């Protein structure tokens, strides 16, 4: 059974840090490009950051550039998102997603093109 499972969310004060993980089962992440997406209350799902299958190409949304870092360890079948200098507006449910690696588009993270999704992990940033 193909599954992506996020972990690492929680409640943090503004300025704090969290590290999200996304562990895959039933598929080998080396065959997939990956992304982190988020959906806040009353908002559409947005691309936070995406990474090519090798990790050599990354993209960040403007709102998280310089604060978030995406990485992956294909030997552990795991994707990460290091989030620093968190702001209340980062509060959202964070999802990881996968797309076949040849479908990866450098330069942006189109949620509609990612077709394997996790259940999400909630991140809440208090002011």
């Amino acid at each position: 059974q193909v599954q992506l499972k996020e972990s690492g969310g929680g409640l943090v004060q503004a300025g704090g840090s969290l590290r999200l993980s996304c562990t895959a089962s039933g598929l080998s992440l080396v065959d997939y490009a990956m992304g982190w997406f988020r959906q806040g209350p009353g908002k559409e799902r947005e691309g936070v950051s995406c990474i090519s299958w090798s990790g050599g190409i990354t993209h960040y949304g403007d709102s998280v550039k310089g604060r978030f870092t995406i990485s992956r360890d294909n030997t552990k079948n795991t994707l990460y998102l290091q989030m620093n200098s968190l702001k209340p507006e980062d509060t959202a449910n964070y999802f990881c997603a996968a797309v076949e690696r040849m479908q990866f588009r450098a330069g942006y993270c189109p949620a509609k093109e990612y077709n394997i999704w996790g259940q999400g992990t909630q991140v809440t940033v208090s002011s």
Side-chain angles (χ1 to χ4, degrees):
Q1 182 181 358
V2 173
Q3 187 176 20
L4 298 176
K5 185 171 178 60
E6 303 91 341
S7 61
L11 174 63
V12 64
Q13 288 189 330
S17 298
L18 283 173
R19 189 193 195 202
L20 304 184
S21 298
C22 170
T23 302
S25 57
L27 74 162
S28 177
L29 284 193
V30 74
D31 294 326
Y32 294 87
M34 302 293 295
W36 286 101
F37 302 83
R38 67 186 182 187
Q39 188 165 15
K43 297 182 180 180
E44 293 187 357
R45 189 168 296 189
E46 65 169 323
V48 174
S49 182
C50 291
I51 187 168
S52 61
W53 70 273
S54 66
I57 302 173
T58 59
H59 172 74
Y60 296 91
D62 288 342
S63 62
V64 306
K65 281 180 182 177
R67 299 188 298 123
F68 291 11
T69 302
I70 192 171
S71 62
R72 61 191 297 161
D73 186 338
N74 289 339
T75 66
K76 295 182 178 179
N77 236 23
T78 302
L79 173 74
Y80 304 99
L81 184 68
Q82 178 67 43
M83 305 187 295
N84 298 329
S85 302
L86 282 161
K87 305 175 181 180
E89 51 264 43
D90 294 318
T91 293
N93 200 4
Y94 283 71
F95 302 86
C96 65
V99 65
E100 292 180 357
R101 68 189 208 183
M102 295 304 293
Q103 304 302 317
F104 177 74
R105 294 177 182 268
Y108 67 112
C109 302
K112 63 182 180 180
E113 295 186 7
Y114 284 69
N115 54 5
I116 302 172
W117 289 83
Q119 295 289 327
T121 185
Q122 178 67 35
V123 171
T124 303
V125 185
S126 63
S127 57

